[in-house]
Amino acid sequence: MDDPQSDQQRMLRRHHREKKELQARIQSMKSAVPKTDKKRRKQLHLDVARLEAEMEQRHRQELEKFYESFPGSSNLEMVTDDLAKMDLENQPPRPSKAQRKRERRAALERERQERIAEAEMEHLDSFRCEEEEKVAAILATRNLEMKEIPADGHCMYRAIQDQLVFSVTVESLRSRTAKYMRKHIEDFLPFLTDPETGDAYCLEDYMTYCDEIVCTASWGGQLELRALSHVLQMPIEVIQAESPSVIIGEEYNKKPITLVYMRYACSFGEHYNSVKPLDAGAVGGHAPRLF
């Protein structure tokens, strides 16, 4: 059986590895959110703080549990020595006294931000439950229920894909949306502004925006829905909790695609889901396409 010191070293090494993996995950999350989207960037910072706080709490609990099992191992010097013996890549030099003070101040600020993030998450959970109840009641009057769509930046396109009776890829929907918007610049350019400055988009900004529709997981909104209604030549209805449903593309005389707009559905904010009949799946199998 391994001695307590070996167990402790393995645990500390695992903690270090998990921290590195979390940082890689956080970097991936940051890459998925455009820097120009201030609202989503703000929510991203809250999510990052929450993830880091959860990992720190879990690691602290594991250490406390270990020391309860092996009381003689709870010496702070032993922990410091074990960490120093780890073969870590790019080990930074020992911080100066002034740097340690700055780090302590930064740690206190992180704790404050984490408490703020926790409070905001509690409010968000409350808003989310209330929103889901309202949407469920609206859909029930139409014998429908919500069908969850992954929150990966492609949710609007995936929800539309789910509603169509013919096969189409998300990549194709994005490409056709951008192509239509490039051909009808005058219909969309006046409605786009820089989220940070409020300045109207120039033509170059607009073309970059269209490129991001194709090449990134940028979220779709009302402008993209307008373009897709023309591309598909059918109306698109958007059901929401706090406002009457909106129909885009009413000029097309077809039964509309129906999406659900959720403001608080996921940690990043706005989200689109699909719908399905209330009795779908009662017998088993996949829910039938609606249209």
Side-chain angles (χ1 to χ4, degrees):
M1 182 176 180
D2 293 331
D3 63 283
Q5 186 171 356
S6 297
D7 290 341
Q8 183 189 42
Q9 289 177 346
R10 278 196 296 272
M11 178 172 57
L12 294 174
R13 289 179 184 275
R14 175 171 57 78
H15 287 181
H16 176 71
R17 184 180 67 254
E18 290 176 350
K19 288 179 180 179
K20 291 181 67 176
E21 291 171 350
L22 177 60
Q23 290 306 312
R25 178 185 171 190
I26 289 172
Q27 188 58 46
S28 176
M29 291 166 61
K30 290 180 177 179
S31 300
V33 180
K35 293 182 179 180
T36 55
D37 195 333
K38 292 181 67 177
K39 189 172 184 179
R40 290 176 61 197
R41 296 293 292 189
K42 178 181 178 181
Q43 184 61 51
L44 173 64
H45 292 317
L46 295 176
D47 291 333
V48 168
R50 176 177 55 80
L51 290 171
E52 290 177 335
E54 288 175 352
M55 174 170 286
E56 183 177 351
Q57 181 181 10
R58 179 168 59 81
H59 286 176
R60 184 168 58 250
Q61 290 174 344
E62 289 180 0
L63 283 169
E64 291 173 353
K65 185 177 180 181
F66 177 84
Y67 295 145
E68 288 176 0
S69 302
F70 302 99
S73 302
S74 59
N75 189 295
L76 180 60
E77 292 183 359
M78 179 181 177
V79 177
T80 305
D81 291 342
D82 287 337
L83 288 170
K85 291 176 184 177
M86 290 185 181
D87 184 19
L88 304 180
E89 296 180 359
N90 302 319
Q91 180 69 32
R94 183 179 180 82
S96 65
K97 185 176 181 180
Q99 183 178 349
R100 290 198 298 271
K101 286 184 178 180
R102 289 194 297 270
E103 290 175 350
R104 283 197 293 271
R105 286 197 296 267
L108 290 173
E109 176 61 19
R110 282 198 301 272
E111 290 179 4
R112 189 180 74 85
Q113 292 295 336
E114 287 165 8
R115 289 194 295 270
I116 293 173
E118 289 175 1
E120 291 190 359
M121 287 301 295
E122 290 178 1
H123 286 298
L124 180 61
D125 288 339
S126 174
F127 293 152
R128 182 183 296 123
C129 291
E130 182 179 351
E131 182 180 45
E132 289 177 352
E133 290 175 358
K134 290 181 178 179
V135 169
I138 294 171
L139 293 176
T141 63
R142 300 168 61 171
N143 198 36
L144 297 173
E145 63 181 334
M146 194 154 49
K147 182 175 181 181
E148 294 290 338
I149 297 295
D152 58 0
H154 304 291
C155 59
M156 188 196 78
Y157 300 95
R158 293 194 190 282
I160 289 176
Q161 178 191 41
D162 179 71
Q163 293 286 303
L164 296 172
V165 295
F166 56 87
S167 178
V168 64
T169 65
V170 168
E171 291 75 16
S172 175
L173 289 174
R174 281 186 171 275
S175 177
R176 293 166 70 182
T177 298
K179 182 178 180 180
Y180 184 91
M181 291 178 69
R182 291 191 189 105
K183 285 186 175 181
H184 300 82
I185 298 173
E186 66 282 359
D187 293 338
F188 299 96
L189 178 57
F191 301 98
L192 283 169
T193 58
D194 188 303
E196 294 187 357
T197 66
D199 296 336
Y201 266 26
C202 64
L203 182 59
E204 183 180 357
D205 294 332
Y206 180 80
M207 288 303 179
T208 300
Y209 182 91
C210 292
D211 290 340
E212 289 178 349
I213 291 175
V214 179
C215 302
T216 71
S218 62
W219 290 16
Q222 191 162 350
L223 294 182
E224 288 81 1
L225 286 173
R226 168 63 63 181
L228 277 168
S229 72
H230 292 307
V231 168
L232 300 171
Q233 296 191 340
M234 61 175 61
I236 300 173
E237 180 183 19
V238 181
I239 294 174
Q240 47 198 333
E242 299 295 340
S243 305
S245 63
V246 176
I247 298 181
I248 300 169
E250 290 182 282
E251 61 268 37
Y252 298 107
N253 188 24
K254 295 180 181 178
K255 190 172 183 179
I257 291 173
T258 303
L259 310 182
V260 175
Y261 169 79
M262 305 292 290
R263 186 176 180 184
Y264 305 106
C266 63
S267 57
F268 288 132
E270 293 91 342
H271 178 66
Y272 286 92
N273 278 321
S274 183
V275 298
K276 61 183 179 180
L278 260 177
D279 56 352
V283 182
H286 297 290
R289 296 291 179 99
L290 298 179
F291 312 113

